[in-house]
Amino acid sequence: MTDHAPIPLRELRSDCSRCAGLCCVAHAFQRSSDFAYDKPAGTPCRNLQDDFRCGIHADLRTSGFTGCTVYECFGAGQFVTQQLFDGRTWRDDPAIAADMFAVFGTMRGLHELLWYLTEALALRAAAPLHDEIARLRIEVADVRDAGAGPDAQALVGELLGRVSALARDGLRGRQARGTDLTGANLRRADLHGADLRGALLIGADLRSADLRRADLLGADLRGARLDGADLADALFLTPPQVASARGDRTTRLPAGLDAPAHW
Ligand code: SF4
């Protein structure tokens, strides 16, 4: 097991300046409200420039590429490009393209797990579990550094469940894990300490809702209204979840998460 220094949170956010445009090539997209045309996996998006930047970055939403504005690789793009492939790119060396794209998907999943574990380590309420969290984070980082490895998702999910229970202990929050709350009217709802893990909150009205300490791991917030909502210490909220929802400058977000440009 490698003795890892903690991975800074900035390394778990996408840095396109150090990536070979992997998300714009590796993934397949279907023409939909999120993407303007059909693109097979492994082919560069027609908007990807020679410098691996997006040629319509400032106009993605008005050009029919809304899905790109809610995508987050959790830093997997720069890790694969710089660490696993030493700065080589699929353009310079087409022979590495298939391997690069395949490992990118795996790394994205592992980086998302590292994001959650890093958040869990910062939670004071989870202090009794900090040693266990730190050990698992090193194990996941080892799997990542090796470029592949056993499925760590189940281990992380189980541990995050215990972290969540500790962080929400005594709050008697609503139990709505996995519940379909699509379009629900939850305006001003008291969801303090609620278990909303995996809940479908697509298009839900959560304006001015109290979501402090709510567990939002994997909750689907696409199109949910968050104006005035308090998510200041919501648990396991990620950048793509925030970007897929609708909020405004009165929405309170956890430290380290910025309001998206389109709010
Ligand atoms: S539209 Fe831009 S951000 Fe989206 S896949 Fe194409 S190049 Fe990438």
Side-chain angles (χ1 to χ4, degrees):
M1 185 180 289
T2 312
D3 184 20
H4 287 280
I7 301 168
L9 212 53
R10 67 174 178 281
E11 289 300 327
L12 299 175
R13 294 294 302 270
S14 56
D15 179 354
C16 303
S17 70
R18 292 189 284 142
C19 176
L22 296 182
C23 65
C24 306
V25 188
H27 298 309
F29 296 117
Q30 292 196 325
R31 183 174 179 167
S32 64
S33 58
D34 285 333
F35 204 78
Y37 76 103
D38 290 324
K39 187 190 90 57
T43 62
C45 172
R46 66 190 184 197
N47 298 314
L48 188 66
Q49 301 179 146
D50 289 345
D51 62 357
F52 300 117
R53 296 302 184 112
C54 174
I56 59 166
H57 180 72
D59 306 307
L60 283 167
R61 291 200 152 239
T62 53
S63 303
F65 293 86
T66 305
C68 301
T69 68
V70 305
Y71 183 83
E72 172 60 53
C73 76
F74 295 96
Q78 68 259 27
F79 179 78
V80 170
T81 304
Q82 302 301 332
Q83 305 299 318
L84 296 184
F85 286 86
D86 296 321
R88 289 177 295 154
T89 77
W90 50 272
R91 270 208 181 109
D92 299 336
D93 185 357
I96 64 171
D99 286 346
M100 204 172 193
F101 301 152
V103 80
F104 172 61
T106 305
M107 291 302 113
R108 185 187 180 277
L110 291 171
H111 269 234
E112 184 171 3
L113 297 181
L114 289 169
W115 169 281
Y116 293 132
L117 291 170
T118 300
E119 176 184 335
L121 263 182
L123 275 175
R124 197 176 307 166
L129 296 173
H130 277 180
D131 287 347
E132 196 175 342
I133 297 165
R135 278 197 300 275
L136 187 52
R137 191 170 66 164
I138 289 172
E139 283 178 35
V140 175
D142 280 342
V143 170
R144 177 196 73 155
D145 294 349
D151 183 4
Q153 194 161 3
L155 287 174
V156 174
E158 188 278 328
L159 182 52
L160 294 182
R162 285 187 279 139
V163 169
S164 175
L166 275 177
R168 296 180 299 106
D169 188 33
L171 293 176
R172 298 176 179 274
R174 180 167 166 172
Q175 299 301 305
R177 178 180 292 220
T179 304
D180 187 350
L181 294 166
T182 300
N185 182 1
L186 295 166
R187 193 170 186 182
R188 300 188 208 288
D190 178 5
L191 296 168
H192 188 197
D195 183 355
L196 292 165
R197 186 175 286 215
L200 297 178
L201 290 157
I202 302 165
D205 186 351
L206 288 158
R207 285 177 290 174
S208 301
D210 182 355
L211 286 151
R212 290 172 300 145
R213 290 278 151 158
D215 184 345
L216 290 165
L217 184 76
D220 194 336
L221 290 165
R222 283 175 293 168
R225 296 288 303 272
L226 294 175
D227 320 46
D230 190 350
L231 299 101
D233 57 0
L235 303 171
F236 309 127
L237 188 65
T238 62
Q241 283 174 303
V242 173
S244 71
R246 292 183 290 163
D248 64 10
R249 58 190 169 79
T250 65
T251 306
R252 297 190 65 209
L253 293 171
L257 283 185
D258 298 323
H262 55 270
W263 278 16

